[in-house]
Amino acid sequence: MRRRSLLAGALAATPFAAGCSASGGDSTAATRTGRTALSYGMWDPAQVPGMQQVIRAFERENPDVSVEIQLTPWNSYWTTLRTAMRGGTAPDVFWMNAVNIKLYAANGTLVPLDEHITRARTPLGKHPEALVDIYKYGGRQYALPKDFDTIGLWYNKELFDKAGVKYPDSSWTWDDLRDAARELTDPKQRVYGIAAEMDRQNKFYPTIFGAGGYVLRDGRSGFADPRSIEGLRFWTDLVDRGWSPPQSAMSEVRARNLYLSEQVAMNYDLSSMASFMYGTPAIKDHGGVAVLPKGRKRATVIHGLANCISAKSRKREAAWKFVDFMARSRAGEIQAKGGVTIPSYAGTQDAWLKSMPEFDLRCFLDMVDYAYPYPSSRNTAVWEDLEYLLLGAPFSGKGGIEGAARTLAKQMDRALDEEDN
Amino acid sequence: MAVFPSTAAAEAEGRSRKPRTKAGREGTTRGPNSRTQKAAYVFIAPIGLGFLLFYLWPMLQTFGFSFTHFGPFGGNTWTGGENYARVLQDVTVWRAIGNTLLYGAIGLLTLPLSIAVAALLNRRGLRGVAVYRALYFIPFVTLPVAVGLVWNWLYNGNFGLLNEVLSWFGVSRHFWASDPSTALWAIGVVAVWQSVGYYLIIFIAGIKGIPQDYYEAAELDGAGPVRRFFTITIPLLSPSIFFAAVICVINSLQMFDLIYVMMSPMNPALGSTQSVVSLFYQWAFQQNNQGAAAALAFLLMLLTAALTFLQFRLQKKWVHYA
């Protein structure tokens, strides 16, 4: 039975290989008609309609180029892409994220874009600086952002009203949040004030930055820093006091679902979840969102997807045209109308804001000013794995967050050392 | 390691049921008749080629990879025994080996359970045997992903059926699959539940092969059903039990899919449920460290070989070939 699942994996990989050869066939057909055919790798089916519209707009401007989407599910996207890179069948242009950019850039699999950017005067300054920085490696730009996410404080107005607590606003500090969490918690109704889920992007990275700590600086781990520990303790305290369910409960039902089913009154969550929440009637009616409360300083985490060009692509000029097009306002406007993501091009977000008038989505844009980039190194996945492995106990209410954080820092430093050779 | 349970079961059954006599008869037909021999090779060629191509070659490759630093996009570099040194020094590896052995021990509990059920199903005059057999076998042919998801739902601490039932007896709510102290057992129970049907088939066949004369003679001598079970069924079933034990240990050592499905990365019990194979998956496909992962895989093979060898040595003490 173990073998069966491995076989299933192998079979699942085949459609992609088949997709590759099919697009290869297309390209020869396309050269006959005089058009350059690009393949575009992405993983989110929800964004396919939006990207198809972007592609249509691009093809209208560049009649000599055609683009075909290669969709690979998230679960196998990176494994498949790595294999395809080895075999030389990777898409010409594909989606990149913060966790993987440095691994790909450091191994020379991506085309550095700086010269192109200068030549084409790509308006990089129109994208949030922290987001653009994520895709720099060794002083060079390897990908151009297309959208972004920040973290906001989502809250349930009905539960707030029931407990007689004032709604969160931009004046809130961590103390306000703690007070509210205490008053909102109602064990009899099995309602918790907040969800202190062990989640790096949504939960403990924002508070580590908010406490003045850091995750990664100059190739060293920041988890042993007292300020970072303060940011972690913000959450474990909430569990210890019983104002949040323990992590063991939230590994079975994610915090997001607890929020949607009105069992937690407040939750830190991604802006990209807005349309998902909008689809839940109760939350659409009485859900709200505010900027993250202030700790020692104001902070949130910004992440976004970017487009990059494979170094193995033989159609670099056309690929660049496409990547450049997607970093400009026209592509941003089209994406905003889709309502799925926030385009990162400044000023194109209006359509997204208006698509869900019940939510005060503007706060996600307000937070960009003080947003920290999602931390990453050359082999981010290694120490990211360690985080959940080591912080699980403290997040389950078993205490010892300080010791766990120090152990994590030590092991993370070792992992970072191994990256260098 | 490279044994498909079904074919292996058939082989072992064949071996245990018709022991020496057949080999003796074959001895007479063997010899100069090379055409039959050629035909035999042609018939085993498909499985033989499959074995060479899909098992032996990858195995050798893995062995080779275990001495390299595996470049994420090609460009492997030779590092000698570095990966092995790393694997042996890693605390998580030892923890995973401990967990894996515990999975093996829990897995062995499947055997007495399936023997008991097989004995009950083999009673003469029992109606609807086919239905029972099918019911027991269904979990085995169900996709592990589906099995894992359903059991996760049963175990759920917020709304799980298990807690609901236990609450009738005054047991308080518990996060069975997310508490480090119970999670491994929770997964082990599912593994047992899932594989009972498979061993049941083996044991039913084994029991059917025991001549009725023995039972009749014992009955005449006044032996009750319990006595008959322990002095006739168990000893004469021992070849099947031996085969099942070997397969069971190998399968348990390769525990992966249930862990993968039932343990989310944020599960605080992840570390205490991780098996060698799930650690292998994490290293190779999440952390991009295929070299060390290959070394780990090779160590697992050695461990499996050692345990299997041990079982073959011990069989002389308790397996009776009739």
Side-chain angles (χ1 to χ4, degrees), chain B residues 177-292:
Chain B
S178 319
D179 185 322
S181 56
T182 54
L184 191 144
W185 285 90
I187 295 176
V189 165
V190 183
V192 168
W193 174 83
Q194 197 190 14
S195 48
V196 160
Y198 170 64
Y199 297 108
L200 192 62
I201 299 292
I202 297 175
F203 292 134
I204 287 180
I207 293 175
K208 286 233 188 296
I210 300 172
Q212 278 300 313
D213 321 6
Y214 296 141
Y215 289 105
E216 281 158 19
E219 219 172 333
L220 283 178
D221 285 342
V226 176
R227 180 78 194 264
R228 290 202 298 271
F229 177 74
F230 281 106
T231 49
I232 300 174
T233 311
I234 293 288
L236 291 178
L237 196 60
S238 57
S240 305
I241 300 177
F242 170 65
F243 163 74
V246 171
I247 292 295
C248 180
V249 167
I250 292 176
N251 273 342
S252 309
L253 291 181
Q254 295 178 8
M255 185 73 167
F256 171 72
D257 36 25
L258 286 176
I259 303 172
Y260 182 73
V261 175
M262 295 178 71
M263 293 282 127
S264 77
M266 293 178 188
N267 196 317
L270 186 66
S272 43
T273 54
Q274 199 157 46
S275 69
V276 176
V277 183
S278 72
L279 188 66
F280 165 83
Y281 176 82
Q282 198 188 349
W283 282 10
F285 300 111
Q286 286 175 299
Q287 303 189 355
N288 309 326
N289 196 350
Q290 279 93 341

Side-chain angles (χ1 to χ4, degrees), chain A residues 73-368:
Chain A
W74 166 254
N75 279 340
S76 51
Y77 185 83
W78 296 107
T79 342
T80 321
L81 188 59
R82 262 210 329 271
T83 322
M85 273 286 176
R86 283 193 142 198
T89 55
D92 300 299
V93 179
F94 54 87
W95 279 9
M96 183 45 72
N97 68 2
V99 175
N100 288 282
I101 176 68
K102 285 172 185 155
L103 179 73
Y104 279 73
N107 284 288
T109 60
L110 304 177
V111 177
L113 303 175
D114 305 84
E115 279 170 33
H116 292 289
I117 293 168
T118 337
R119 198 148 30 93
R121 296 208 198 91
T122 313
L124 217 51
K126 288 282 193 176
H127 297 269
E129 202 186 331
L131 181 61
V132 174
D133 282 350
I134 290 178
Y135 294 101
K136 274 201 178 101
Y137 179 78
R140 305 175 91 173
Q141 192 74 35
Y142 282 93
L144 300 186
K146 68 178 266 299
D147 58 32
F148 76 87
D149 271 320
T150 52
I151 314 298
L153 174 64
W154 295 86
Y155 60 94
N156 186 319
K157 288 177 185 159
E158 197 173 77
L159 292 174
F160 268 73
D161 290 341
K162 221 185 269 173
V165 182
K166 228 173 72 197
Y167 298 156
D169 57 35
S170 56
S171 72
W172 267 35
T173 63
W174 284 4
D175 287 331
D176 295 313
L177 182 129
R178 276 188 277 252
D179 289 342
R182 186 187 61 231
E183 284 172 49
L184 288 159
T185 302
D186 183 355
K188 259 177 279 159
Q189 301 289 318
R190 280 166 80 176
V191 168
Y192 291 92
I194 191 165
E197 189 177 33
M198 176 172 65
D199 182 310
R200 58 178 80 87
Q201 188 182 1
N202 298 352
K203 305 280 155 57
F204 62 79
Y205 283 178
T207 57
I208 283 176
F209 293 128
Y214 64 100
V215 175
L216 180 67
R217 189 186 290 157
D218 306 326
R220 304 318 292 163
S221 168
F223 277 103
D225 186 271
R227 293 283 171 90
S228 304
I229 294 174
E230 190 182 314
L232 289 167
R233 183 173 287 132
F234 172 81
W235 294 111
T236 55
D237 257 3
L238 290 164
V239 175
D240 293 343
R241 289 167 196 244
W243 302 340
S244 158
Q247 179 55 33
S248 39
M250 284 182 290
S251 66
E252 296 185 353
V253 182
R254 292 286 308 267
R256 182 172 299 142
N257 296 328
L258 290 176
Y259 173 75
L260 289 174
S261 59
E262 308 192 72
Q263 287 180 41
V264 296
M266 294 183 282
N267 189 29
Y268 277 30
D269 208 346
L270 289 162
S271 51
S272 61
M273 285 300 136
S275 59
F276 184 58
M277 298 196 197
Y278 204 65
T280 308
I283 299 301
K284 182 185 172 184
D285 290 346
H286 50 254
V289 63
V291 296
L292 292 187
K294 187 169 178 252
R296 283 177 190 273
K297 47 165 121 172
R298 292 212 157 275
T300 186
V301 167
I302 186 168
H303 178 254
L305 303 180
N307 294 302
C308 59
I309 304 173
S310 161
K312 292 229 170 110
S313 169
R314 274 166 295 169
K315 304 154 190 165
R316 287 192 191 186
E317 276 310 310
W320 164 252
K321 272 189 204 161
F322 183 47
V323 170
D324 180 53
F325 179 83
M326 284 192 287
R328 290 173 187 272
S329 62
R330 181 89 192 85
E333 279 160 17
I334 297 171
Q335 286 188 71
K337 267 187 216 130
V340 182
T341 55
I342 317 178
S344 53
Y345 193 93
T348 60
Q349 295 103 353
D350 280 357
W352 183 74
L353 296 177
K354 281 182 200 136
S355 66
M356 288 163 260
E358 285 87 342
F359 295 158
D360 182 20
L361 297 176
R362 183 158 292 279
C363 66
F364 289 113
L365 303 186
D366 295 343
M367 284 189 285
V368 169

